[in-house]
Amino acid sequence: MQKTKIHTYTSYNFIDKVDETENEDSVQYTESDDSMLCLTLADGAGGSGIFNRKWSKHLTENPYMEDLVEKATLDNWFSSVAEAFYNQITEDKNQFTDRFIENKFNEEGSFATYLQVNINPKENTVTYFGYGDTRLFLFRWNSDVNTYFIHDIYPIKYCETLQDFPDLLNWNRAVESWPEPCTQSLMEGDVIISATDGMADFLVRKLYTFDKDALTSFISDAMSNFLKEEHHEVQAQSPQEIIVTIQQFFEQDNTQKITTIENWMNHGLIPDDITLTYYIHQNL
Amino acid sequence: MSDKSLQSTNHGQLQPRGGITPLWDARQTALSKTHYKAKATRNNPCALVIMIDQSASMNQIMENGRSKAAITAEIVNAILQDALMRCQKEDGLREYFNLIIFGYGEDINIIWEGDLADKSWISVQELQDNVRNTIEEITTKQTPFGEKQMKKEIYQWVEARSDGRSTSMKKAFEHCVDILNEWVLENEDSFPPMVFNITDGQPTDIGGDLNVWLETCEELKSIATKDGNTLLFNILLTEGDEIILPTESDEPMIFEDEYHEIMYQASSFLPYQLKDETYNIFKKKISDSEIYRNENPKCVVFNSTASSLLYLISVGTITITKNAKD
C-alpha cells in the first residue's frame, strides 16, 4: 500500500435506500504540502432534520484547522461552519423546492455526527476529536507477543449501549459539551480504523466477542453489561484479524466490496450507510 | 369536513390471527425483546390509524376555554404534521407511513376531505397534497451564529366536530380490526400498526358491559406483524393534568371514573424496546423516572398531543433525544 495514504470507502445502505445520492455519510481526506494528513467523517442522521447529507458533506469539507484543539476554538469553528451552511441553503433558491422543505429546515435543522483525525507523520502524532457515534480504533503492535492490541477506541467511553441516541451536530444549536479531544504519539505500524456507527458497532461486537477483557477498559460498565446481555451474532475477530480483514477489503474492487459488505450483513452488520477508513502508520 | 359514512364494517369476514389474546399474553408479547425493532422503510411502511370521538360530549368546553373537539382536532393535526415532516427529505417524500383517520359518533366516518374524500388509506404524498389550511408564524431562534427569525408553518387537515348523538367506539374498533387485519397481510415485515384513539372516554355501544369493550380492544391488539402486536394508544381528554404513559403506580391519581380505568386497561403496554426512547422523548413530563423504568408503562396519554410518539418508529439514525418536541 502507498505510504501515508489513508484509504477511505463510503457506500449508501443498499438494503433500504435507492442509490448513492441517498448516502448521508461523508468522508474527506486531504494531505497538505507539509505532509499533514486530515481525515474527516460525518454521518447525516436520517431520523430527523433535512439536508442531512449536505450538512454531513459540508462538515467534512470544512474541517477545524487550528493546531490546538480546545473548546473555545471548536465553538468558533462550529459557529462559522453552521452559519456558512445556513447561508448556503437559504440563499440558494433551488434548495427549497417546496414550502414543506423550508418548514422542516427551519423547525428541525440538519443533523450529523463528526469525527476529525489529524495525523502528523513528521512528529509521529495523531489528534482526534468528534461528536457522536462515528468512531476511531487505534491498534498497536506488541512485539513481545507478536500481535496487535487495542490502544484506543474513541469516543465510546461514556456510552451505555450501542443503541444510545447519538450526539449530533445541528447548525441550529450550539454544542454544550465537546468530548475531550485526544492526542497520541504514533509508533511504526500503528493502525487507525475509523467508521460510522453501523460498521463501528460491528467492530466493537467482534472485539468484545473475541476478548471482552481487552475491550473493558475502553468502555463504560453500563456498556460492558449491555454487551454481556446482548445476543451476539457476530464472528469474533482479534485486532489482528480485523486489521487483515479491513486491509483485504480495501484491496478489493467495488463489486467485491459490496459482496463483502453483504457477507458482513449476514453475520451481524446492521444495514446502514457504511463509511470505513484505514491507515497504517510508517515513520517518515 | 366530509361525512362519508361507512356502509358497514366487514367485521367477521376476516378472522383475526389467533382470536382474542389473553391480557397476560399481550403483555408478554409487548415486553418481548425480539419485537418492535423493524425500521419504517418505503418497502415496509408503518400503519398509523387515528380514531376520533365525535360524540356530543366532545362539545364540552374545558378549563382552558376550548372544546374537547377543538383540542382533538389540534392533536390530530399535530400527529399528521409530525408524520409528514418525518417523511420529508430534500429530494421529496419517503412513504414511511400509511394513514387513515375515522371519526365515530352515531356512525363511523372516514374523515378525509376534498380529493381524499373517497379514500381509506392514504399515502404521505396524498397527505401533503391535501393540506386544508396553513397557519404561518414567524419565530425567533437562537443559533450558534446568533438569533435568526424563521418562518414556521402549522398545517391543518381536520376540523373540530362533535355532533354525534352516541359514541360508537366499539363499532369503530371493530372496523379498525377489519382494516388492520387486511393491512398486516400485505405488510407482515413492518413495524406493527400504531392506533391512536382520542376520546373523553365513554363508549355507548357496549350495553354497559365493560368486558365486551375490553375484548374488542384485545382483538385489536392481537393483530400482529412479524415485528409485534398492534400498539393501541388511548389519548384521553379530561379536566385533569397532562399525564404521559402512566404506570401502575399512577393509577390511584389518574382515574376519574370507571371509563378512564377501563381505557387504561384496554391500552397496550409500552414495549420493552421502546421504553428508553420514550423516556428520552418525554423525560421532562415523566414525574418519577425510577418508577417509569422499573414498571410497565401503559400506552395512555391524558391531555396531551403526544405527537412525538411517532418518533418511536425508527426511520433512520435516532435523533429523538436532541430533537423531541417538548
Side-chain angles (χ1 to χ4, degrees):
Chain A
M1 288 195 170
Q2 190 184 338
K3 200 170 185 181
T4 71
K5 180 170 171 57
I6 300 178
H7 298 265
T8 65
Y9 174 81
T10 186
S11 167
Y12 72 105
N13 168 7
F14 43 79
I15 302 298
D16 294 333
K17 295 184 176 179
V18 174
D19 57 32
E20 192 58 33
T21 64
E22 295 184 8
N23 183 2
E24 291 172 309
D25 282 0
S26 183
V27 58
Q28 295 287 328
Y29 158 59
T30 55
E31 184 171 351
S32 64
D33 293 340
D34 57 354
S35 301
M36 291 286 289
L37 310 180
C38 177
L39 175 70
T40 50
L41 289 83
D43 177 359
S48 294
I50 196 163
F51 296 113
N52 298 324
R53 172 182 160 82
K54 282 191 168 69
W55 174 229
S56 118
K57 194 162 183 290
H58 179 82
L59 284 166
T60 57
E61 289 176 346
N62 295 277
Y64 176 86
M65 299 298 284
E66 305 290 330
D67 290 338
L68 191 62
V69 184
E70 54 187 10
K71 180 177 169 17
T73 46
L74 272 175
D75 284 343
N76 289 341
W77 163 75
F78 183 66
S79 168
S80 163
V81 291
E83 183 168 25
F85 182 73
Y86 176 80
N87 291 337
Q88 176 190 317
I89 297 294
T90 54
E91 289 169 9
D92 180 354
K93 298 301 175 197
N94 295 323
Q95 299 297 343
F96 295 147
T97 50
D98 69 46
R99 62 196 174 110
F100 301 97
I101 292 175
E102 182 179 6
N103 199 29
K104 186 166 181 176
F105 184 71
N106 289 342
E107 277 292 283
E108 298 183 8
S110 315
F111 291 94
T113 65
Y114 186 70
L115 175 69
Q116 182 168 337
V117 186
N118 294 335
I119 297 170
N120 184 338
K122 289 178 182 168
E123 301 285 335
N124 295 316
T125 60
V126 60
T127 297
Y128 38 88
F129 62 92
Y131 200 77
D133 58 5
T134 296
R135 297 194 175 120
L136 173 143
F137 300 77
L138 174 57
F139 298 105
R140 179 156 293 170
W141 180 256
N142 183 335
S143 54
D144 292 341
V145 284
N146 275 344
T147 189
Y148 276 96
F149 64 97
I150 311 166
H151 189 70
D152 195 13
I153 304 178
Y154 177 92
I156 192 174
K157 187 70 184 172
Y158 303 104
C159 297
E160 294 185 359
T161 76
L162 291 175
Q163 283 106 45
D164 278 6
F165 311 119
D167 290 326
L168 296 161
L169 295 176
N170 193 324
W171 57 263
N172 72 7
R173 63 180 65 119
V175 176
E176 286 178 17
S177 174
W178 292 93
E180 199 63 36
C182 187
T183 297
Q184 304 254 11
S185 295
L186 282 176
M187 298 180 69
E188 177 85 13
D190 278 358
V191 172
I192 295 172
I193 292 170
S194 57
T196 49
D197 58 342
M199 189 68 205
D201 291 351
F202 187 54
L203 296 179
V204 167
R205 287 185 172 97
K206 279 179 172 290
L207 291 166
Y208 183 84
T209 309
F210 176 77
D211 183 355
K212 65 176 186 292
D213 292 337
L215 196 72
T216 300
S217 61
F218 300 100
I219 58 178
S220 65
D221 291 342
M223 172 70 90
S224 185
N225 290 333
F226 167 79
L227 289 169
K228 267 181 213 160
E229 290 173 7
E230 199 192 34
H231 177 62
H232 294 283
E233 292 171 343
V234 300
Q235 182 188 1
Q237 279 193 307
S238 67
Q240 190 152 354
E241 287 168 327
I242 285 173
I243 289 166
V244 170
T245 301
I246 303 299
Q247 199 170 28
Q248 286 172 344
F249 175 80
F250 278 106
E251 287 166 356
Q252 295 172 335
D253 64 30
N254 275 342
T255 308
Q256 290 172 319
K257 283 189 175 89
I258 289 171
T259 305
T260 299
I261 291 172
E262 285 172 337
N263 182 44
W264 288 341
M265 283 182 186
N266 289 331
H267 292 88
L269 174 66
I270 295 165
D272 197 354
D273 294 338
I274 298 287
T275 297
L276 185 61
T277 76
Y278 173 83
Y279 168 79
I280 182 161
H281 183 69
Q282 293 174 302
N283 294 337
L284 289 180
Chain B
M1 189 176 295
S2 72
D3 184 1
K4 188 163 65 73
S5 293
L6 301 172
Q7 296 304 307
S8 65
T9 69
N10 62 346
H11 188 66
Q13 292 176 15
L14 285 165
Q15 293 302 311
R17 294 176 179 181
I20 297 168
T21 309
L23 265 175
W24 179 252
D25 286 352
R27 179 180 183 279
Q28 291 309 101
T29 302
L31 301 180
S32 159
K33 286 190 179 186
T34 58
H35 291 124
Y36 303 102
K37 287 190 169 177
K39 221 169 165 178
T41 66
R42 282 161 282 194
N43 290 333
N44 294 308
C46 176
L48 291 185
V49 182
I50 303 173
M51 298 198 290
I52 307 172
D53 184 344
Q54 295 180 322
S55 64
S57 65
M58 298 293 279
N59 208 23
Q60 184 189 336
I61 304 298
M62 307 281 279
E63 282 176 356
N64 61 13
R66 304 176 66 216
S67 72
K68 289 178 178 175
I71 294 168
T72 298
E74 186 179 294
I75 292 171
V76 173
N77 288 322
I79 292 173
L80 294 178
Q81 177 149 354
D82 269 10
L84 173 59
M85 286 294 107
R86 288 217 81 190
C87 300
Q88 183 70 62
K89 302 287 179 181
E90 55 265 39
D91 55 357
L93 281 174
R94 306 268 169 89
E95 293 289 346
Y96 293 144
F97 298 114
N98 296 159
L99 303 119
I100 190 168
I101 305 182
F102 44 92
Y104 52 86
E106 292 166 80
D107 303 311
I108 306 163
N109 312 303
I110 290 179
I111 58 173
W112 299 124
E113 299 181 39
D115 291 343
L116 302 180
D118 294 328
K119 302 272 187 179
S120 53
W121 291 106
I122 68 161
S123 65
V124 181
Q125 185 66 60
E126 288 172 313
L127 184 73
Q128 186 185 81
D129 292 343
N130 288 275
V131 174
R132 304 290 292 172
N133 189 32
T134 301
I135 299 168
E136 281 189 15
E137 294 174 357
I138 299 295
T139 59
T140 302
K141 289 204 170 184
Q142 183 65 45
T143 73
F145 45 94
E147 283 190 351
K148 284 279 170 191
Q149 289 206 321
M150 296 182 193
K151 189 173 73 175
K152 176 182 182 179
E153 291 188 336
I154 299 165
Y155 309 122
Q156 295 178 333
W157 292 265
V158 172
E159 294 173 356
R161 182 177 155 182
S162 53
D163 54 1
R165 283 178 293 183
S166 58
T167 311
S168 303
M169 202 187 303
K170 177 173 177 286
K171 202 166 135 191
F173 271 56
E174 287 170 348
H175 179 67
C176 189
V177 166
D178 290 335
I179 59 167
L180 285 182
N181 269 318
E182 288 180 10
W183 188 88
V184 295
L185 289 175
E186 300 291 322
N187 298 276
E188 60 180 8
D189 293 321
S190 288
F191 188 90
M194 292 178 82
V195 178
F196 296 89
N197 176 44
I198 308 168
T199 177
D200 59 354
Q202 190 168 340
T204 58
D205 59 347
I206 56 172
D209 186 348
L210 294 177
N211 287 327
V212 169
W213 167 242
L214 273 180
E215 284 177 4
T216 307
C217 293
E218 291 305 316
E219 189 174 2
L220 176 64
K221 291 185 291 183
S222 73
I223 299 168
T225 66
K226 288 178 181 171
D227 194 45
N229 284 24
T230 294
L231 293 174
L232 171 59
F233 291 85
N234 278 303
I235 300 176
L236 304 179
L237 302 177
T238 72
E239 289 290 4
D241 295 332
E242 180 183 51
I243 299 172
I244 307 279
L245 307 170
T247 65
E248 289 163 5
S249 297
D250 293 315
E251 281 185 49
M253 69 174 181
I254 62 172
F255 296 139
E256 284 182 3
D257 57 39
E258 62 180 341
Y259 293 105
H260 284 177
E261 185 167 3
I262 210 71
M263 296 302 281
Y264 176 90
Q265 286 183 27
S267 304
S268 297
F269 281 99
L270 185 70
Y272 172 86
Q273 295 81 359
L274 305 181
K275 274 182 83 171
D276 284 348
E277 286 93 329
T278 314
Y279 180 75
N280 276 282
I281 293 173
F282 295 113
K283 60 184 167 189
K284 289 178 188 166
K285 296 178 177 178
I286 291 171
S287 55
D288 191 325
S289 60
E290 282 303 307
I291 289 177
Y292 174 85
R293 287 183 189 282
N294 294 330
E295 296 189 7
N296 300 313
K298 293 284 273 189
C299 295
V300 177
V301 173
F302 284 83
N303 307 311
S304 174
T305 66
S307 58
S308 294
L309 286 165
L310 293 189
Y311 283 85
L312 298 181
I313 305 166
S314 170
V315 298
T317 301
I318 297 169
T319 56
I320 54 179
T321 307
K322 304 295 179 188
N323 194 51
K325 294 184 176 182
D326 290 334

